[in-house]
Amino acid sequence: MNTETASARAAFRFDNSFARDMAGFYARTDPAPVDAPRMIRFNRPLAVELGIDPDALDSPSGAEILAGSALAEGSTPIALAYAGHQFGGFSPQLGDGRAILLGEIIDASGDRRDIQLKGSGRTPFSRRGDGRAALGPVLREYIVSEAMFALGIPTTRSLAAVATGEGVRRETILPGAVLTRIAASHIRIGTFQFFAARGETDKVRRLADHAIARHYPELIGAANPYFALFAAVLERQAALVARWMQVGFIHGVMNTDNCAISGETIDYGPCAFMNAYDRSTVYSSIDRNGRYAYGNQPPIIQWNLARFAETLLPLIDAARERAVGQMTTALEQFPERYAAHWLAGMRAKLGLSTAEDGDADLANALLAAMRDGRADFTLTFRRLGPAARDESAFAEVRALFGFPQGFDDWSIRWRERLARERRDPAERADTMDAVNPAYIPRNHLVEEALAAAHDGDMAPFDALHAVVLRPFEEKPGWGRYALPPDDADEGYQTFCGT
Ligand code: AMP
Ligand code: MG
């Protein structure tokens, strides 16, 4: 073995708690070697954050490891079992059908992180699938997850995209790739459902204990740690979905198996960003009834949390009725907890530093005006900052509205509200610019980048990537990245299948 290979193999210092402590929750599975691994993109800043030497992995030997063709030292590759409600229907066995957990490392800040390969071949959970991923969806997850991170939203991260040199059969033959995904863990609501559905209460308890120790250590020793776990997950999910709503993010496939217990955004499949504000926006081709439409995301996460609550019932109280009563009460807190996170975020977006009773109404009135005027969600908020700085900039916001009457009425209310806070307008505008992004990974730009990458040209991907990593910094020359497409994504569709 040459030194490059040796240092790539030794790049991760694994400490695999799930493989070690959670036998019975996974299948030991090696990734399948590929023809010709080639590094497409490697996330060097993330490697540093993970405490990994970027040079050790950003190499041909690193590509072999991250494609699954060679095994890193200390890795115990496993595929995790999970179940899940998909579009409301329960599947008792899903599991990692195209993903393999290489192991866990402790990052530079002392946090435990999963290193997972997605698209690394068949596992015992693959069912009829090929265990593979195509380049397009891999790069989509790479860029959108990194954009979400830059927006300050809890998310899994992307360490690398490696081409496999093999074709994958979808509707056509597409170039194959493997994504290296980094997550606080890959424990999902569906992981709990897998064991609860089999009546394996002891395993549900072990999983809950593992999740508490890993994600909510402050709950160890709580009077009822499992009830506390539920409340804590509810809180993180309420906060997370509120953040999605504030950037116009539509996850697209909020099945319970795609809901992480850690509170990170996970599984970027058919996700997309809304342009004109419309709560019924759906882009996913498989979401025919709009179950996961933009505006449904808060009630859907509450529905998913109800499924999580059901898995914990035997741990809450031996008397089922009492357990149901407790969990129902906890679940009923969701609308209020969500509303609190949402309102805090909306106040920041509107430049409000104090709280008044009418603030939720004020925010909703702007959204109603945006809906009626078919105004672009991201641009409207972005342009409010300059308007708060200097009244002459109101025209730039107004211009986004097809029917500006609603906005005109609203802007009078907003100005009156701002006037009740004694705050320097420039300072206020600066805080608004720091929370209202100028750049999101707009659908048409992502598609353009992926189409070019498919043809071997990574320049559009790299350009867009650079922009979305700086979502709050407007730069000359980046103008087109801030604009919605001319057709406002009329008829735009996303597809599943990383
Ligand atoms: P998703 O809708 O992407 O969250 O995936 C749902 C389930 O389908 C998971 O159990 C995946 O592992 C499985 N799956 C999706 N695509 C494939 C594939 N190409 N090969 C094997 N399993 C897959
Ligand atoms: Mg999934």
Side-chain angles (χ1 to χ4, degrees):
M1 213 190 300
N2 66 28
T3 46
E4 188 225 72
T5 310
S7 62
R9 297 239 168 129
F12 298 105
R13 277 196 306 265
F14 284 111
D15 174 30
N16 305 329
S17 70
F18 202 89
R20 199 166 51 227
D21 305 338
M22 304 299 283
F25 290 75
Y26 58 81
R28 178 71 184 76
T29 311
D30 285 335
V34 302
D35 281 351
R38 182 173 58 86
M39 190 70 76
I40 303 268
R41 283 299 171 265
F42 183 80
N43 190 339
R44 296 179 71 94
L46 177 57
V48 171
E49 188 185 315
L50 294 175
I52 296 168
D53 173 10
D55 292 325
L57 278 177
D58 193 3
S59 65
S61 296
E64 292 213 342
I65 287 168
L66 299 178
S69 286
L71 209 54
E73 273 167 42
S75 168
T76 313
I78 55 177
L80 273 57
Y82 56 84
H85 275 89
Q86 299 181 303
F87 293 91
F90 187 61
S91 300
Q93 178 160 330
L94 295 168
D96 285 334
R98 54 171 163 182
I100 291 177
L101 180 63
L102 291 184
E104 301 151 32
I105 59 164
I106 307 299
D107 73 13
S109 325
D111 293 322
R112 183 173 293 276
R113 314 277 287 265
D114 272 4
I115 315 287
Q116 192 207 53
L117 301 184
K118 196 169 172 183
S120 52
R122 290 181 51 82
T123 77
F125 302 105
S126 296
R127 290 164 292 158
R128 285 180 299 280
D130 60 2
R132 289 296 179 193
L135 176 66
V138 163
L139 290 177
R140 171 191 286 275
E141 173 153 352
Y142 189 110
I143 200 164
V144 179
S145 64
E146 289 304 297
M148 292 288 270
F149 171 73
L151 289 165
I153 298 176
T155 177
T156 62
R157 304 286 305 277
S158 297
L159 180 64
V162 181
T164 59
E166 296 175 3
V168 293
R169 192 182 299 273
R170 295 293 180 258
E171 265 151 38
T172 54
I173 305 284
L174 298 171
V178 177
L179 179 77
T180 307
R181 176 160 77 180
I182 310 299
S185 86
H186 284 84
I187 303 169
R188 308 137 189 271
I189 290 178
T191 319
F192 283 83
Q193 289 181 290
F194 184 93
F195 299 99
R198 285 162 178 74
E200 299 188 85
T201 303
D202 284 349
K203 282 197 172 162
V204 176
R205 182 179 292 109
R206 276 174 62 202
L207 186 62
D209 288 339
H210 180 91
I212 290 169
R214 188 148 170 191
H215 301 302
Y216 303 92
E218 67 281 7
L219 305 182
I220 296 172
N224 186 334
Y226 309 116
F227 182 80
L229 170 66
F230 178 71
V233 172
L234 181 148
E235 188 68 23
R236 281 199 200 165
Q237 287 291 341
L240 178 66
V241 174
R243 296 302 314 277
W244 291 357
M245 297 300 278
Q246 279 154 359
V247 296
F249 176 74
I250 306 168
H251 183 283
V253 59
M254 286 175 73
N255 295 335
T256 56
D257 51 299
N258 294 335
C259 279
I261 296 299
S262 66
E264 289 180 340
T265 310
I266 192 168
D267 268 8
Y268 294 86
C271 64
F273 282 81
M274 179 173 65
N275 292 301
Y277 179 79
D278 179 350
R279 295 181 67 81
S280 68
T281 306
V282 179
Y283 294 114
S284 168
S285 62
I286 58 169
D287 191 3
R288 293 207 177 77
N289 300 314
R291 179 181 172 89
Y292 301 138
Y294 171 77
N296 280 353
Q297 297 185 118
I300 282 291
I301 197 67
Q302 186 180 359
W303 191 90
N304 289 352
L305 288 163
R307 306 288 79 74
F308 181 39
E310 286 163 1
T311 71
L312 298 175
L313 288 175
L315 311 185
I316 300 297
D317 196 311
R320 192 175 162 91
E321 256 172 55
R322 271 211 304 268
V324 170
Q326 272 198 55
M327 290 310 243
T328 304
T329 306
L331 199 59
E332 282 170 358
Q333 305 300 306
F334 180 86
E336 192 187 308
R337 294 311 308 143
Y338 171 76
H341 289 291
W342 180 83
L343 184 55
M346 292 310 277
R347 283 196 176 107
K349 288 177 82 68
L350 294 174
L352 304 178
S353 59
T354 58
E356 282 189 14
D357 284 346
D359 291 344
D361 276 353
L362 183 70
N364 281 317
L366 175 61
L367 297 176
M370 287 167 64
R371 179 200 58 218
D372 294 342
R374 304 247 352 116
D376 184 78
F377 179 80
T378 304
L379 271 184
T380 299
F381 280 105
R382 182 66 189 184
R383 290 187 186 174
L384 284 180
R389 196 177 276 115
D390 172 1
E391 298 229 335
S392 69
F394 263 98
E396 307 264 313
V397 198
R398 194 173 189 270
L400 298 169
F401 288 73
F403 315 95
Q405 185 61 50
F407 175 73
D408 289 343
D409 295 345
W410 180 82
S411 66
I412 295 166
R413 282 175 71 184
W414 184 51
R415 270 184 271 207
E416 286 169 0
R417 174 69 181 83
L418 295 184
R420 289 198 292 278
E421 291 186 353
R422 267 184 218 91
R423 202 172 173 197
D424 172 42
E427 185 254 347
R428 166 185 286 133
D430 287 346
T431 66
M432 292 174 73
D433 289 348
V435 295
N436 293 319
Y439 311 110
I440 52 165
R442 291 195 183 259
N443 309 324
H444 66 293
L445 300 172
V446 173
E447 294 301 333
E448 175 189 284
L450 301 189
H454 179 271
D455 297 335
D457 175 12
M458 289 297 289
F461 178 92
D462 290 336
L464 179 60
H465 184 244
V467 170
V468 297
L469 288 190
R470 305 259 178 285
F472 305 108
E473 286 170 37
E474 274 174 88
K475 292 219 170 124
W478 283 5
R480 83 179 198 95
Y481 294 99
L483 298 177
D486 293 337
D487 66 355
D489 280 341
E490 206 58 59
Y492 176 67
Q493 279 204 319
T494 55
F495 299 90
C496 248
T498 316

